[in-house]
Amino acid sequence: MTGALDPAATLRRLCADAASRIGDRGLRERLREIREQLGQPLQVAVAGAVSGGKSTLVNALLERSVAPADAGECTRVVTSYEYGDEDGEVAIELVDGRVRHSRLDPDGRMPARLGVPVERVARIRVTLRCPALRRLTVVDTPGVNTVTVANEEAARRMLFGTGAGDHAQALVYVLRYVQRFDASTLADFRTLSAACGMTGVNTLAVLSQVDRRGDEEDPWPSARRLAARAYEQLRTSVFDVVPVVGLLAEAARAEVLGAAELDGLRALAALDEWDLDDLLLDVEQFATAPDYPVPVRVRRSLVARLHRYGIRVATSALRERDLDLDGLRGVLLAASGFAGRDGAGSVASGISHFTHRAEQLKALAAINRLRGLVRAPASEADRPVLAALAATLDDGQPISGSLAGLRVVAAVDAVGRGQLTLDEQMLGELLRLARNDDPAAQLGLEPGAPAGAAAAAAGEATIRWRQLAVTAGTAVAGQRARDVLGVFEGLATGRPASTVPAARTPAVKPRSALPVTGDVRRLLDSPVVPAADQVALRALLTGVDLAGQVGAPPDAEPGAVARAAAAHVARFRALLHRPLPAADRRAVTAVCDVYEAIWSAADSWEETADVHRG
């Protein structure tokens, strides 16, 4: 995959370059961690309230009953489930840096005891030979009773047990099913997701235990209505809100039912339907009463694995036809809603959305971490490196031409952070772009709509987004609007969005010197411009190519030219924080614009060189 299609690869190069020039060991290590995480599977954290159905969902995702459902030691510790050939290996990482090794129990579940006090455990890593984990790492987090947090560090500590080093790139948050969500619950959820760097592009909300409304024989109509209402209230904070019966998803995907349970269900199916309903009115009595037609051990297992709704679904299916275990699992999977019902969104579709956009989500998370890193205290020698890195990641600037795939993701992220304000129509347009891959669906058209209709709809959208790009009140909002405008322009012309240049990208030859507009020469005599910066200005005005304009040698590599341009941007942007005459301020802004254009051109030049070398 070329850099133009792989934003994570571009950021890996950026981290490696910054690390090679940073003197501080701690900063180098943080850059190394960010770079390494960009090359690993997508990390998806599963979070939620205590006893909210989180562990059953984790097991359904893993297709193995590994995560403990009871409130044991392991439920109080962050546990990562990762792909590896050593199936069942458990690494217990301690807060002092040591690692203790163990294995899953013979039944394949997490051990009840860790062999070390919980307070000394930083996290647990479990290796599974599970194909799904090749694409994503599932991070099971301790249950939380409240989601109100004040800042990012507190949010990470709440979810991951530490304030540093642990970061997920996507979040599945399990909300216990209720009749309605009050305003405080939704506000708390928004606070947590925002503090963890999560927005509508990388957060999936799951309504769990939708079968626990005892007065409803079919829980799905109410569950779908509640999910739709919750999505309307949370749509800038979540990709989707989906209902699920976690127990049934686990029973179907993790294959926890055996021959004894199937025989028990067949015996229950042979009873009169009304008699069975009477028996299930009190599931605790059903599980423990001594005189029922199915052994107590089996009934307890059925209640634990399926509960009332699952038993009803299974016995109803068995009355209609004889099923083996595989057939029963198919019935339970359909009833769980894990893979979708009636074309609605589902856990499976949400996870598919995450894995399909894994490189973009990893890049977005890395950018957010790097923006925090550049604000860290640093020595005089390291500050210019961090300043150049900060300039690269400036919200109002294109990170580089190779990150075009992040346009829609970054725009939704900006909406979630309150940096971009949209009316209902434009918010709907943006969310359709983010949620769909098919051009017709992205434009709100019926499947198979003719190309002319798609071009017309995209053309109408470009008018609105171009107007917003011109009138947006901040640099961030304006750039994000231009990003989305570029995508709609691509849809209008029938070109893939990733191949359409950003609306602000200058069309220049990569090596040719760029023209300097505005009265920049006046800065050569301005007392507010330091002597070193005046030397840089003379090079900018007289250089015959990009390298010369940034004071680099004629044979400088594109990366070196880009870094020099980024450093100049940071230096001259700092001047804008001083009180300047209006004419000087306009001239400094023009200088920054030229350096940014050089930086973007050098990045494109480097990508072209990479392609030829490849």
Side-chain angles (χ1 to χ4, degrees), residues 490-572:
L491 290 171
T493 58
R495 287 190 291 167
S498 61
T499 68
V500 179
R504 71 184 306 281
T505 302
V508 296
K509 293 182 178 180
R511 297 175 186 264
S512 303
L514 300 184
V516 182
T517 60
D519 190 10
V520 172
R521 291 186 180 277
R522 64 177 290 116
L523 296 177
L524 293 173
D525 300 320
S526 174
V528 302
V529 179
D533 290 348
Q534 290 181 354
V535 171
L537 280 174
R538 290 189 179 91
L540 182 68
L541 291 164
T542 61
V544 296
D545 56 19
L546 296 186
Q549 285 189 297
V550 298
D555 59 348
E557 291 290 329
V561 174
R563 290 192 296 272
H568 287 319
V569 170
R571 289 166 57 188
F572 279 92

Side-chain angles (χ1 to χ4, degrees), residues 114-381:
L114 298 176
V116 63
V118 173
E119 57 271 15
R120 292 176 54 197
V121 178
R123 67 184 298 145
I124 300 172
R125 297 182 185 275
V126 181
T127 299
L128 299 175
R129 203 161 45 244
C130 171
L133 294 180
R134 290 182 180 273
R135 296 176 298 162
L136 58 87
T137 294
V138 177
V139 183
D140 191 5
T141 65
V144 293
N145 289 317
T146 176
V147 297
T148 303
V149 291
N151 55 52
E152 182 181 356
E153 183 175 348
R156 287 205 306 272
R157 186 177 295 113
M158 175 181 293
L159 289 182
F160 304 114
T162 177
D166 288 308
H167 296 262
Q169 296 134 345
L171 173 68
V172 176
Y173 196 88
V174 181
L175 294 163
R176 189 183 289 112
Y177 180 64
V178 294
Q179 185 60 29
R180 62 182 298 273
F181 293 113
D182 57 35
S184 62
T185 299
L186 298 177
D188 286 351
F189 171 75
R190 291 190 189 97
T191 301
L192 175 67
S193 59
C196 288
M198 303 294 172
T199 63
V201 298
N202 54 11
T203 304
L204 178 70
V206 176
L207 304 186
S208 71
Q209 303 176 347
V210 302
D211 59 318
R212 297 305 176 91
R213 285 288 306 278
D215 58 339
E216 292 182 334
E217 183 174 343
D218 181 1
W220 284 100
S222 294
R224 285 194 289 268
R225 285 194 297 269
L226 179 61
R229 288 198 301 269
Y231 174 73
E232 284 302 310
Q233 294 169 292
L234 292 171
R235 58 184 173 163
T236 60
S237 302
V238 300
F239 165 71
D240 205 354
V241 180
V242 299
V244 71
V245 182
L247 276 179
L248 301 194
E250 180 187 23
R253 289 173 58 83
E255 301 184 0
V256 299
L257 299 179
E261 285 81 8
L262 179 58
D263 289 341
L265 288 169
R266 284 171 173 160
L268 293 174
L271 298 176
D272 180 83
E273 186 174 354
W274 296 105
D275 289 342
L276 179 58
D277 283 345
D278 287 341
L279 295 181
L280 292 174
L281 286 177
D282 186 336
V283 291
E284 293 301 323
Q285 181 178 342
F286 171 80
T288 58
D291 55 350
Y292 285 13
V294 175
V296 170
R297 179 187 60 81
V298 175
R299 279 184 274 127
R300 284 177 175 167
S301 177
L302 290 175
V303 169
R305 299 299 192 187
L306 303 179
H307 210 258
R308 179 187 296 109
Y309 175 65
I311 294 173
R312 284 174 171 165
V313 167
T315 53
S316 177
L318 286 166
R319 287 191 190 100
E320 294 179 1
R321 62 191 187 281
D322 187 36
L323 297 171
D324 59 12
L325 276 174
D326 286 340
L328 178 61
R329 290 176 189 130
V331 169
L332 296 176
L333 181 62
S336 75
F338 183 92
R341 291 173 63 92
D342 305 327
S346 66
V347 174
S349 63
I351 295 298
S352 176
H353 167 83
F354 290 157
T355 55
H356 183 65
R357 293 162 176 80
E359 297 306 307
Q360 295 177 358
L361 297 183
K362 288 191 290 184
L364 182 65
I367 289 168
N368 289 332
R369 288 189 67 184
L370 288 169
R371 284 175 178 156
L373 183 145
V374 298
R375 296 192 294 268
S379 65
E380 288 291 335

Side-chain angles (χ1 to χ4, degrees), residues 445-471:
L445 302 175
E446 292 296 323
E460 291 177 5
T462 61
I463 296 173
R464 290 184 287 273
W465 286 90
R466 186 174 290 110
Q467 181 178 6
L468 177 62
V470 172
T471 60

